[in-house]
Amino acid sequence: MSPANPREKLPPRVTDLHTEARRHRRKFFLIFGVVFLVIIISALWWVVIYSDLMRFQKFEVTGNTRMTDVEVTALIQEKIITPSFFGGIFGPNHFLSWPKKVSTEQASRIHNIRNISFSRDLWSRKLLVMVEEYQFFGTLCARKKELPQCVWFDKDGFFFEDAFFPEGVLILRVDDYGRESVKLGERLYSSEKLVNALSVFNVVKNLNLPVYGWSIREDAPDTIEVRVVGGPIFYFSLKFPGGYTAEVIRSLIGEKGVANIQYIDFRVENRVYYKDGSSGS
């Protein structure tokens, strides 16, 4: 009997067969798992992108008093949703296109609205839009040109809506003879000057005096002149706050009478000058 050839292939052992079987099973389950995962991801992608489950059918707006629901919806879609990344992918009626809250910078694109937030009801497929509109505080009219241009501003001096030229004493109207035009989305003044102007507005409003004229002359841009019906002219500076002036005005009017003072001048800080309407200074 000839000796066995060392190159002759030996039959596999049982342990080798088990190892190979386990390897095949792992490979099968791995492939199956990858395919299953791809199917799940594809299904979720289809549900999110193409199905109607993630698209709202009802749209409800709350907090709006001067704008209709249609106007609010159209402005938000135009100014905020459509230009956004998700809005461009999913479209304007998709839940993912609408954030939970809109930033101040985004809200400022819609001049009539101060704050915007959203609430989603996936079960009812309804989107609730909650808005806070700017509140009227006064108007500013640019008077450098022959035809004045007027806008409404809020308690923070923000221009948010065009206005007609108001007459009478019921609406605070500031005539700025140094301005040629005003632009929505801007503010009455820069930060420090704005704070001072708003303090003057609040002082005069709290005095409950009938005022028919607020004006800023082109040659005196840091002075506000306030003309009281049947009373004096107040001169306020925009270089410093005017909160301290309220008690001074009350005291002088209480002593002299509102009709007996020609003017009260606060253009020098912590000082007051006035002229008596009948006899002197």
Side-chain angles (χ1 to χ4, degrees), residues 261-278:
I261 306 174
Q262 288 190 19
Y263 67 77
I264 305 177
D265 191 339
F266 297 101
R267 286 176 289 184
V268 178
E269 191 171 12
N270 295 323
R271 289 181 178 273
V272 57
Y273 301 92
Y274 71 93
K275 185 172 183 179
D276 223 25
S278 54

Side-chain angles (χ1 to χ4, degrees), residues 216-235:
I216 301 172
R217 299 200 312 267
E218 184 177 5
D219 59 347
D222 292 326
T223 298
I224 295 183
E225 297 180 10
V226 183
R227 296 179 178 272
V228 177
V229 177
I233 301 174
F234 300 143
Y235 296 99

Side-chain angles (χ1 to χ4, degrees), residues 252-261:
L252 283 174
I253 290 178
E255 178 184 347
K256 305 285 185 179
V258 69
N260 297 318
I261 306 174

Side-chain angles (χ1 to χ4, degrees), residues 73-251:
T73 305
L75 282 171
I76 293 176
Q77 289 182 354
E78 176 190 353
K79 302 290 186 179
I80 299 175
I81 304 304
T82 302
S84 69
F85 175 76
F86 289 109
I89 294 177
F90 301 127
N93 67 331
H94 198 287
F95 280 114
L96 294 182
S97 298
W98 297 73
K100 290 184 178 180
K101 189 171 178 62
V102 172
S103 67
T104 303
E105 187 274 330
Q106 289 176 314
S108 66
R109 300 174 191 172
I110 305 175
H111 305 308
N112 305 70
I113 298 177
R114 186 183 186 91
N115 289 309
I116 311 171
S117 59
F118 308 104
S119 177
R120 305 174 182 86
D121 187 343
L122 296 176
W123 184 258
S124 300
R125 294 170 64 185
K126 181 174 72 174
L127 181 71
L128 177 63
V129 180
M130 295 156 285
V131 301
E132 178 190 354
E133 293 178 328
Y134 284 100
Q135 300 301 311
F136 297 122
F137 187 86
T139 60
L140 179 127
C141 295
R143 300 294 302 274
K144 192 169 184 177
K145 295 182 178 179
E146 182 178 356
L147 186 64
Q149 178 196 357
C150 301
V151 293
W152 284 102
F153 61 88
D154 75 333
K155 62 182 180 63
D156 296 319
F158 182 80
F159 301 146
F160 64 89
E161 188 175 308
D162 291 320
F164 294 106
F165 186 80
E167 300 281 1
V169 299
L170 298 180
I171 297 176
L172 187 160
R173 188 191 80 228
V174 180
D175 294 316
D176 192 335
Y177 291 91
R179 289 185 190 241
E180 291 188 353
S181 63
V182 286
K183 184 179 178 181
L184 296 181
E186 296 181 348
R187 293 188 183 274
L188 190 63
Y189 293 111
S190 58
S191 56
E192 183 176 354
K193 199 172 181 180
L194 174 62
V195 171
N196 298 337
L198 294 176
S199 72
V200 170
F201 296 152
N202 286 312
V203 163
V204 177
K205 272 198 164 189
N206 291 333
L207 290 172
N208 294 319
L209 295 173
V211 174
Y212 66 83
W214 299 69
S215 60
I216 301 172
R217 299 200 312 267
E218 184 177 5
D219 59 347
D222 292 326
T223 298
I224 295 183
E225 297 180 10
V226 183
R227 296 179 178 272
V228 177
V229 177
I233 301 174
F234 300 143
Y235 296 99
F236 295 97
S237 174
L238 294 175
K239 295 180 180 179
F240 45 82
Y244 73 95
T245 62
E247 290 304 317
V248 178
I249 295 173
R250 288 193 182 97
S251 176

Side-chain angles (χ1 to χ4, degrees), residues 13-56:
R13 292 178 295 177
V14 174
T15 55
D16 294 335
L17 292 175
H18 289 170
T19 302
E20 187 69 20
R22 284 196 298 270
R23 188 180 299 115
H24 283 297
R25 282 198 299 271
R26 284 197 299 268
K27 186 176 181 181
F28 170 79
F29 284 118
L30 178 61
I31 295 174
F32 177 81
V34 171
V35 172
F36 181 77
L37 184 61
V38 169
I39 292 173
I40 294 297
I41 293 175
S42 300
L44 290 174
W45 178 260
W46 182 87
V47 169
V48 170
I49 301 298
Y50 298 106
S51 78
D52 291 335
L53 296 177
M54 293 294 291
R55 298 182 184 277
F56 53 84

